[in-house]
Amino acid sequence: MAVFGLFFSLIVSAVVVAPSTASVLPRQLEARASASDIFKVKGGLLVKNGKQTSCGLGILDNMAALMSADCLDFVNGKVDATSKYEAFVDAGYDGATGRYIIQNITVHPAYDSKTKANNVALIEYNSGSKVLWYNYNAIGPGNWDGHAYVQRYLSDIDGMAWATPKVYSQSSGDSVCSQLSPVYKDNSKDFACSSGLVPSPSSTLGTSCNVPYQMVYATFSGTYVYQAGFFSHAIIEDGKDLCKYSSQRSYFTLISDYLAFANSVLNRTVYYYNDDDTVKPQTDPTYAMTKPSTTVKDTVMLSGNMYPKQPSTTSPTSSFLSRTSTSPSQTPTGNPSAEEEPESNSGMSKRSIAIVAACSAVGSLLLAVGVFFLVRWWRGHLKRTRDPYKETAAQEILANDLGGASVPGGGNLRSMTEIVDAAYTNPPPPAYPANEHRVLVVEEAQSPNSLVSNEYPNEKS
């Protein structure tokens, strides 16, 4: 009975939800998986505009995941809301696959697309559900036994069929990792680094080059693996792609220091694991990497989607809320898309030139129409503001000054008093209808109150 009570208390402490970062709680009661059966651990991929990408998802639970911000499209420093993003989740843990429209995207506020520091975004989906299951994220890389790098691939997107994951094991990074990547050198505890590459899973993805793995898992006790990070970027020396180069390294952002960030956005529990109970994750939701102090010349950086082209699939309409927009220092890099047209000599693509020409024609037409209606309005305004009373009075004053001149219908008015008296005796019609009141109404702008609703799902252990 005492054992049962202890078990129950551990469960309760694991799933309690609190609005503070203290709700990032551990739970060690998990069915363990080894690198050879990584398929038992829930994993996922990003599908963009109906096309499979190489972007792995660090699945937190059945409603949210962390991923590389470079896998998203940006327009004017904000996530492009016209792109359709979906999260595909494999059958690990419970045997059920999932396909979800991404509803919310929160980019880390310190994301730097140039250096790849804080290359992190939180995605939310399946919002009508409750937390039914959750993954455990490795913390404390200092006592990991090794790393397992994983590639997942959808063999059939429409049928949500997953191929067998490919796994590559490596103990740790080397000195080349720091030589090629300044952000890794200054923030080595936030990254995993690997020299391993894997063949592109299908020729239909448009590249014959090898590609980086998508996810990294931490190995404990020499056997058991826990989700640890996702691909951020690759650095190539003496080459322009991963087909030919003198050296290369792939870098993976570790999830552990961004659990508090995820918890602050989701306002619910996320989970971590370390076989040393004294190791705890950092709890600052605004945590950010140190900005690199140096740069490396004669290298090429690749990031984002490594599959430049692939066949489209039927994709449901997507609509998401970008909770946190950023202003990346440059457009996220990656292999060029097959849909992108080459630039002309002027630096603009043919598509851009056509768009500019069309916009210019439409703009000229709208300007002409605007001028036409402005002239008509001005003429009508002058006509409506003509005041016969003022005109008659002016004519009478002029006639009096000229001496002998007369106003049609009137005599020779010799004084201002007589002019005013005559005007009131037989006044001309008013300039405006008697029942028209010209009142200027100034309305004070008001900003609606911002409502924030936080739902606390009943989590299931």
Side-chain angles (χ1 to χ4, degrees):
M1 191 68 178
V3 173
F4 176 82
L6 176 60
F7 178 85
F8 180 79
S9 66
L10 287 173
I11 295 263
V12 172
S13 66
V15 299
V16 64
V17 177
S20 68
T21 55
S23 63
V24 182
L25 299 174
R27 183 188 180 213
Q28 299 180 11
L29 304 174
E30 181 192 35
R32 296 179 174 181
S34 63
S36 60
D37 53 6
I38 195 72
F39 61 88
K40 293 181 180 179
V41 180
K42 280 285 188 183
L45 288 175
L46 177 73
V47 171
K48 181 169 63 178
N49 297 323
K51 299 178 180 180
Q52 181 174 185
T53 72
S54 65
C55 302
L57 302 181
I59 303 292
L60 299 177
D61 53 40
N62 59 301
M63 298 170 62
L66 290 169
M67 58 171 284
S68 167
D70 273 3
C71 289
L72 304 170
D73 294 330
F74 287 85
V75 176
N76 297 325
K78 298 182 179 180
V79 178
D80 184 5
T82 64
S83 294
K84 300 175 182 178
Y85 300 104
E86 296 175 88
F88 278 62
V89 181
D90 69 9
Y93 180 72
D94 60 0
T97 58
R99 177 179 184 175
Y100 307 102
I101 295 175
I102 295 175
Q103 298 159 317
N104 298 324
I105 298 177
T106 306
V107 178
H108 193 281
Y111 161 56
D112 187 335
S113 66
K114 183 177 181 179
T115 65
K116 307 310 173 189
N118 311 297
N119 186 6
V120 177
L122 176 71
I123 60 173
E124 298 175 69
Y125 46 87
N126 193 25
S127 61
S129 177
K130 296 180 179 180
V131 176
L132 303 178
W133 50 261
Y134 25 79
N135 270 342
Y136 300 88
N137 303 278
I139 65 170
N143 61 352
W144 297 352
D145 295 333
H147 302 80
Y149 296 91
V150 177
Q151 179 199 64
R152 289 183 172 87
Y153 171 64
L154 283 158
S155 56
D156 180 5
I157 297 181
D158 291 328
M160 292 192 294
W162 292 80
T164 302
K166 295 181 180 180
V167 182
Y168 166 74
S169 296
Q170 183 176 335
S171 58
S172 61
D174 54 23
S175 60
V176 178
C177 294
S178 296
Q179 295 171 10
L180 294 182
S181 177
V183 70
Y184 174 87
K185 180 180 180 181
D186 294 341
N187 302 274
S188 58
K189 69 181 182 64
D190 292 316
F191 286 102
C193 175
S194 173
S195 59
L197 296 174
V198 61
S200 178
S202 172
S203 60
T204 62
L205 297 179
T207 178
S208 58
C209 301
N210 291 337
V211 294
Y213 287 87
Q214 300 154 350
M215 299 292 298
V216 59
Y217 290 77
T219 304
F220 290 92
S221 302
T223 303
Y224 303 113
V225 295
Y226 290 83
Q227 179 175 269
F230 46 83
F231 173 72
S232 171
H233 61 283
I235 301 290
I236 300 169
E237 188 176 30
D238 297 330
K240 63 179 182 179
D241 55 34
L242 290 172
C243 286
K244 186 178 181 180
Y245 50 84
S246 61
S247 61
Q248 66 78 30
R249 291 295 183 271
S250 299
Y251 301 88
F252 298 76
T253 302
L254 298 183
I255 293 174
S256 57
D257 280 335
Y258 297 96
L259 292 176
F261 162 68
N263 170 251
S264 68
V265 176
L266 298 173
N267 203 23
R268 66 173 180 263
T269 304
V270 294
Y271 294 86
Y272 67 81
Y273 175 83
N274 192 288
D275 55 7
D276 183 351
D277 291 340
T278 64
V279 177
K280 306 294 181 183
Q282 72 85 21
T283 57
D284 180 6
T286 64
Y287 172 83
M289 296 180 187
T290 302
K291 186 176 180 179
S293 56
T294 60
T295 58
V296 178
K297 296 181 179 180
D298 301 325
T299 59
V300 173
M301 181 183 294
L302 298 177
S303 65
N305 179 26
M306 293 293 159
Y307 303 154
K309 61 182 180 180
Q310 61 270 197
S312 299
T313 182
T314 304
S315 179
T317 302
S318 173
S319 176
F320 68 88
L321 169 67
S322 180
R323 290 188 174 180
T324 303
S325 61
T326 64
S327 299
S329 56
Q330 65 178 27
T331 303
T333 57
N335 289 336
S337 170
E339 295 179 352
E340 295 176 356
E341 297 185 18
E343 293 185 348
S344 65
N345 294 333
S346 63
M348 297 178 64
S349 67
K350 295 179 180 178
R351 182 182 302 173
S352 299
I353 294 174
I355 292 174
V356 171
C359 291
S360 299
V362 173
S364 300
L365 178 61
L366 292 176
L367 180 61
V369 172
V371 171
F372 172 75
F373 281 103
L374 179 62
V375 171
R376 289 195 59 182
W377 173 85
W378 181 250
R379 289 178 176 175
H381 174 72
L382 293 178
K383 184 176 180 180
R384 289 193 301 271
T385 57
R386 176 179 175 271
D387 195 333
Y389 171 75
K390 292 181 179 179
E391 290 179 3
T392 302
Q395 292 170 0
E396 291 174 349
I397 294 171
L398 180 62
N400 185 62
D401 290 340
L402 291 175
S406 63
V407 178
N412 245 350
L413 303 179
R414 299 179 179 179
S415 70
M416 182 61 71
T417 301
E418 292 174 329
I419 292 174
V420 174
D421 291 342
Y424 277 100
T425 302
N426 186 24
Y432 306 105
N435 61 349
E436 179 176 341
H437 301 280
R438 296 189 168 226
V439 180
L440 177 63
V441 179
V442 179
E443 295 182 355
E444 183 177 355
Q446 297 181 355
S447 298
N449 291 330
S450 177
L451 300 180
V452 179
S453 175
N454 293 317
E455 295 184 4
Y456 300 91
N458 296 321
E459 298 174 329
K460 182 178 179 181
S461 60

